[in-house]
Amino acid sequence: MKFTEGMWRLREGVRIDWMSNVERLHIDQDKEAVDILMNKFQRHRGDTLNSATITARVTSPQEGIIGVNFVHWAGQVDRGPHYSIASSNGHTRITHADNRFSYTSGDLSLTMNTEPNELGLTFSSPTKTLTGHSFRSIGYVGDQTTPKTDYRDGIFLERQGHMLLGLDLNISEKLYGLGERFGPFLKNGQTVDIWNEDGGTSSDLAYKNIPFYISSCGYGVFVNHPGKVSLEMQTERSSRVNISIEGEELQYFVVYGPSPKEILRRYAALTGEPALVPAWSYNLWLTTSFTTNYDEQTVTSFLDGFRDRDIPLGVFHFDCFWMKSYQWCDFQFDAEMFPDAGAYLRRLRERGLKISVWLNPYVGQASPLFEEGKREGYFIKRTDSSIWQWDYWQAGMAVIDFTNPRARSWYSTHLHRLIDTGVDSFKTDFAERIPVKNVVYHDNSDPARMHNYYALLYNEVVYDVLTSRLGTSNSILFARSTAPGGQRYPVHWGGDCESTYVAMAESLRGGLSLLLSGYVFWASDIGGFEGTPSPALYKRWVQFGLLSSHSRLHGSGSFRVPWLYGEDCSAVLRECTKRKIMLTPYLLSAAYWAAKDGSRRLMAPLFVEFPDDLNTYAVDTQFMLGPNLLVAPVFCDEGVVSFYVPDEEAGQPSHSGKEEGEGKRKKAKWVSFFDSSKTYEGGKWYTETHDFDTLPLLVRPGTVTPVNRRLERPDGDALDGLEVVVNGPLKEGEEGDKVVVDDGGVVVSTSFV
């Protein structure tokens, strides 16, 4: 939210109490914390009257992370919820001498000038300044243009209060993340509100809002606030990120790197380590699509079509209309379409398929469960104790109150019953349409803070059911909305995109942004959700989707079975699916290491792997699949694609100070996955034309990539028939690699050179 008009003026009706002075400071060595009282510019003792103060508490929950909690009024009722923050101690150093306060955690330091009227906070690494608060960047805003202001109260006039913090930026600093955002990948110049909404992929709204951004200068910032957070990313002050919330308290953590991987590792340690997913989930998923007409016969015909065309298929998903209309959710297969659902699911499982069904956290008034939920108090209520209902989505729908332990148990009971019937996974759709006004929760949580947090509770409930029944190594969701910490409940997909190349590209941008926000796995609706793709678009999205961490064919009003678009589409899907299954040993290994320390992604923007190559920071139409494979999807019918090949040696001396040509090592080259004779030099752009049997899929120099051409499904024996793709020589000092296979919950590690 913008409160100023340029550098000198405030918006009409707004006042800001800027902090300019450190009034006093207290060091608590036992708790490794520092408490600071800040106030406005002080000329004399009279200036301590009739103005606001802000207190700041400095702590360090993890080595290399420093948090500052700013409070204006401390008398507010804290009704929660709060994000889970993992903390430890014993890694800080605190000093204060000669009007200089220093707080250090690992290689990250926060210094403060405590000279009178010289307030300034600086975060720095051993080599450079990262960010901080300079002149007029810590303030409390009073806005009297809102309905909260009532002039009849005289001197007790109420203003809507906001905490406002401005973090300084360096020259050419680039900012990324903030959840799954579908606009420009680079967040500089954007206004971002952290507020979950069901807006599709073609707007500034997002399903997955994460108040965490990464800077190219070697640090990240996590705003620890579950309510609405507004960020002006150089849009109010071109030299700052301005962060504001409606309320009296705001905390952030600066997460030091210096590399993007180290920032992500520390962020995961702070908010929750990502979970692994079962091997079978890397297979192709097929859905009924959304508003299509289908029954048992239709579903069977799809499965027969895949079998007859030798297209591997691992998971079949039943979307919304597996339940009767107006009754979502009643957790019952529509008997008219599926007369004996249990028997039918058993027959599907006999084909070797896993089963997924669609859910949402709402109950329509026509559902047989509505009266029970109403009677037992399982729904979010209005302040007059009536059930909160509306007609937008399901007629008369109510929202499950997951803060009520009995409601959680009730919802879980129905999921257990579905697992007994043969369901293996759940698509946890929606959870963005959560009311905030005139509502009350069972545990009295603040509705505004619950709006984003609700998605976390929803996914947690469903994921806990799966892990309790199937074990952690065999549990997976397909979730649309989330909040910080949601990486513990994978997988997440990109939501409702259109069937266009533009939407395919914006889906990738959204996925890359989410993967910079703590997440490891991601998928999109192959072919697009809204509309019907052309055959060419279908094949291009298949190529891209089968090189994503997870791959699902899904649409709205039209099916996504390939032969409807032409048998050549069937051939492309078959080839791409078998290629992904062949890569299973590599994917399992990459996922294992990604989840092990939180630093790696199964899909990642180029700069995460190549932070020293400055050219990679602007690339948002390519990605790394694990650490070894570069993928450049094709976004046009003609097959023309321009892509950048990173420079492995960027930022390194070219010949160790020797004379030109003397002892200079020959630069290793990338090679095409399809044709090893086709090589690419790092640090260059290439333009190629590809038919539908290839795309730019490059193998990184100095790497060993495990594959298995014998595998028929990802949960087969990945070690029987194991091969390696070597693009050598290996890097100096590297002795080989490892294949890590999830074998029924037992990690099998096989080393090779």
Side-chain angles (χ1 to χ4, degrees), residues 501 504-505 536-537 540 543 621-622 632-644 678 685-696:
Y501 285 112
M504 180 176 154
L537 173 61
R540 296 300 184 195
Q543 289 181 319
T621 56
Q622 300 169 220
V634 180
F635 295 102
C636 66
D637 288 351
E638 297 77 16
V640 178
V641 53
S642 295
F643 57 97
Y644 179 73
K678 195 173 182 180
W685 283 89
Y686 293 84
T687 298
E688 296 180 344
T689 301
H690 285 260
D691 205 345
F692 297 106
D693 55 345
T694 62
L695 75 163

Side-chain angles (χ1 to χ4, degrees), residues 339-568:
D340 188 345
Y344 186 55
L345 295 192
R346 284 193 295 274
R347 292 196 295 273
L348 296 185
R349 293 172 68 86
E350 288 170 359
R351 288 175 175 250
L353 293 169
K354 299 292 185 179
I355 306 301
S356 168
V357 297
W358 175 94
L359 299 174
N360 65 196
Y362 314 130
V363 176
Q365 187 168 285
S367 169
L369 300 181
F370 181 85
E371 283 301 321
E372 181 182 357
K374 175 184 176 183
R375 181 179 66 252
E376 299 296 331
Y378 295 155
F379 301 135
I380 295 173
K381 294 181 180 179
R382 298 185 187 275
T383 53
D384 65 1
S385 297
S386 64
I387 303 301
W388 187 91
Q389 292 179 263
W390 72 343
D391 292 330
Y392 193 49
W393 183 237
Q394 288 291 281
M397 80 171 200
V399 182
I400 304 291
D401 185 350
F402 287 120
T403 72
N404 182 345
R406 293 179 63 242
R408 291 167 68 106
S409 178
W410 178 64
Y411 195 88
S412 298
T413 297
H414 293 288
L415 304 185
H416 281 290
R417 176 171 51 78
L418 287 168
I419 292 175
D420 290 337
T421 306
V423 172
D424 300 282
S425 179
F426 298 104
K427 171 182 168 180
T428 50
D429 205 356
F430 282 85
E432 308 90 11
R433 299 180 179 182
I434 305 300
V436 296
K437 295 182 179 180
N438 193 34
V439 297
V440 61
Y441 282 87
H442 174 82
D443 71 348
N444 204 34
S445 286
D446 181 344
R449 295 171 70 94
M450 274 297 299
H451 175 82
N452 291 340
Y453 193 90
Y454 185 92
L456 208 59
L457 285 181
Y458 171 40
N459 287 323
E460 178 187 48
V461 168
V462 180
Y463 192 75
D464 284 352
V465 169
L466 289 168
T467 56
S468 69
R469 293 294 303 277
L470 307 176
T472 303
S473 64
N474 207 32
S475 297
I476 181 175
L477 305 176
F478 227 86
R480 187 171 77 173
S481 58
T482 190
Q487 62 267 17
R488 293 171 290 178
Y489 318 119
V491 149
H492 296 80
W493 102 95
D496 300 348
C497 50
E498 297 174 320
S499 295
T500 65
Y501 285 112
V502 171
M504 180 176 154
E506 72 195 13
S507 293
L508 175 56
R509 290 197 302 269
L512 295 180
S513 288
L514 182 69
L515 294 160
L516 286 174
S517 306
Y519 291 74
V520 170
F521 307 101
W522 176 85
S524 63
D525 286 341
I526 295 176
F529 177 73
E530 291 287 352
T532 299
S534 67
L537 173 61
Y538 182 93
K539 288 180 282 191
R540 296 300 184 195
W541 210 317
V542 161
Q543 289 181 319
F544 161 48
L546 268 299
L547 288 171
S548 301
S549 85
H550 286 76
S551 310
R552 186 183 67 158
L553 294 162
H554 183 55
S556 177
S558 56
F559 297 118
R560 292 291 178 265
V561 292
W563 53 88
L564 297 181
Y565 305 90
E567 287 300 340
D568 57 333

Side-chain angles (χ1 to χ4, degrees), residues 126 183 732 744:
E732 185 176 348

